[in-house]
């Protein structure tokens, strides 16, 4: 890295995605307001990642827990739209199902946006962003947000298991983003509510060599009660 010392750029970082998504940010002199949907939040996140990667020479880590609230915003938007248009002909149950189905479609599109953008972007230092995504359920602020975060984590693992196609149309393992999955009390034992995610993560590791794993219990013991993402796992 010595050839970078003469430049005013820095090494690795943990991006404060929560602040930039919730309060808006500025890129290239343009105001980017807080997203109103999950798809837009994923797009803005990848733009931020690309901008950071072009201004440093190391890796960066992002906690996806901050995307959970935008998945909720998306569902609430669909619910409002369907109630306005179809409240007189559809039951509340039918409207709820339609909104849930549309939300899942946007979830898949948003996660696909992250995966494809990260692997096709070329930053000013001539490579794709060296990105690590941190999947930590207990980062959610409440149980509802935790369920949304579990949906995002599940979709991210499923798409990584599937992989991406190379120039010949063959499914391969993408280099980035790296994935880190946190082992917690409610996902490490059979019968716990989120154990299915750990099983899915194990299948993903067996096929794609990611995610790597962090023990919440051990990290909190070693890091003064904190659990946070690491670089270049």
């Amino acid at each position: 890295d010595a050839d970078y010392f003469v430049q005013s750029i820095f090494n690795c970082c943990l991006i404060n995605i929560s602040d930039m998504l919730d309060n808006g940010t500025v890129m290239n002199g343009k105001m980017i307001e807080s997203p109103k949907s999950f798809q837009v939040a994923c797009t803005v996140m990848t733009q931020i990642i690309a901008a950071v990667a072009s201004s440093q020479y190391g890796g960066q880590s992002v906690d996806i827990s901050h995307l959970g609230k935008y998945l909720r915003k998306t569902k609430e938007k669909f619910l409002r739209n369907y109630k306005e248009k179809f409240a007189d002909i559809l039951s509340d149950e039918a409207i709820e199902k339609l909104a849930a189905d549309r939300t899942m479609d946007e979830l898949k599109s948003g996660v696909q946006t992250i995966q494809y953008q990260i692997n096709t972007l070329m930053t000013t230092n001539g490579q794709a962003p060296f990105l690590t995504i941190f999947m930590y359920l207990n980062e959610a602020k409440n149980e509802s947000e935790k369920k949304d975060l579990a949906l995002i984590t599940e979709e991210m693992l499923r798409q990584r298991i599937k992989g991406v196609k190379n120039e010949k149309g063959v499914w391969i393992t993408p280099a980035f983003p790296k994935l880190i999955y946190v082992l917690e009390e409610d996902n490490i034992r059979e019968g716990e509510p989120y154990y299915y995610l750990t099983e899915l993560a194990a299948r993903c590791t067996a096929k794609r060599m990611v995610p790597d794993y962090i023990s919440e219990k051990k990290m909190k013991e070693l890091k003064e009660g904190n659990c946070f993402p690491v670089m270049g796992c």
Side-chain angles (χ1 to χ4, degrees):
D1 294 334
D3 57 326
Y4 290 98
F5 289 172
V6 297
Q7 304 178 49
S8 59
I9 58 178
F10 49 90
N11 203 336
C12 303
C13 71
L14 303 175
I15 305 177
N16 192 352
I17 286 290
S18 176
D19 178 67
M20 286 185 279
L21 290 180
D22 292 351
N23 302 311
T25 189
V26 175
M27 288 188 285
N28 195 28
K30 307 298 186 297
M31 170 60 72
I32 308 296
E33 296 183 345
S34 180
K36 303 298 189 296
S37 68
F38 181 76
Q39 176 77 67
V40 174
C42 290
T43 301
V44 171
M45 189 177 86
T46 58
Q47 291 172 335
I48 292 169
I49 289 165
V52 171
S54 294
S55 303
Q56 67 172 47
Y57 59 91
Q60 52 185 298
S61 292
V62 172
D63 188 337
I64 62 166
S65 65
H66 309 302
L67 292 174
K69 67 181 68 176
Y70 296 100
L71 189 64
R72 177 63 52 178
K73 284 184 178 182
T74 289
K75 185 175 182 180
E76 290 171 351
K77 179 186 70 174
F78 287 140
L79 278 172
R80 286 195 304 271
N81 290 343
Y82 284 133
K83 284 180 179 179
E84 288 175 3
K85 295 177 180 178
F86 306 117
D88 56 336
I89 58 174
L90 293 176
S91 66
D92 289 345
E93 183 180 352
I95 289 174
E96 178 74 27
K97 187 177 186 306
L98 283 171
D101 287 345
R102 285 291 305 277
T103 301
M104 291 305 296
D105 288 340
E106 183 153 324
L107 169 62
K108 292 176 183 178
S109 297
V111 172
Q112 188 177 61
T113 293
I114 295 172
Q115 179 158 273
Y116 276 95
Q117 289 272 47
I118 296 306
N119 282 282
T120 57
L121 284 169
M122 186 70 71
T123 64
T124 56
N125 56 17
Q127 61 185 8
F130 192 119
L131 176 68
T132 298
I133 285 181
F134 191 58
M135 300 180 291
Y136 180 26
L137 293 177
N138 278 341
E139 194 75 15
K141 294 180 174 60
N142 52 60
E143 193 58 36
S144 176
E145 199 170 296
K146 192 171 186 177
K147 290 178 181 178
D148 291 334
L149 180 54
L151 289 173
I152 298 169
T153 300
E154 179 180 2
E155 185 60 30
M156 194 155 285
L157 290 169
R158 290 192 184 282
Q159 290 199 23
R160 179 52 66 91
I161 289 172
K162 187 176 182 180
V164 298
K165 289 184 178 180
N166 65 9
E167 69 275 11
K168 296 181 179 179
V170 178
W171 293 99
I172 62 170
T173 301
F176 297 108
K178 301 287 285 182
L179 303 177
I180 297 178
Y181 180 82
V182 179
L183 299 170
E184 310 160 33
E185 288 300 323
D186 56 1
N187 68 10
I188 60 172
R189 296 181 182 86
E190 192 170 357
E192 294 295 337
Y194 297 105
Y195 182 71
Y196 73 97
L197 287 178
T198 303
E199 289 184 307
L200 189 63
R203 289 200 293 272
C204 188
T205 299
K207 185 169 185 178
R208 300 298 181 188
M209 294 301 290
V210 291
D212 295 317
Y213 299 86
I214 283 179
S215 165
E216 179 191 48
K217 177 181 177 180
K218 286 299 180 183
M219 178 169 266
K220 284 187 172 182
E221 288 176 2
L222 297 171
K223 299 297 181 180
E224 302 176 343
N226 299 304
C227 184
F228 50 83
V230 297
M231 287 295 175
C233 224

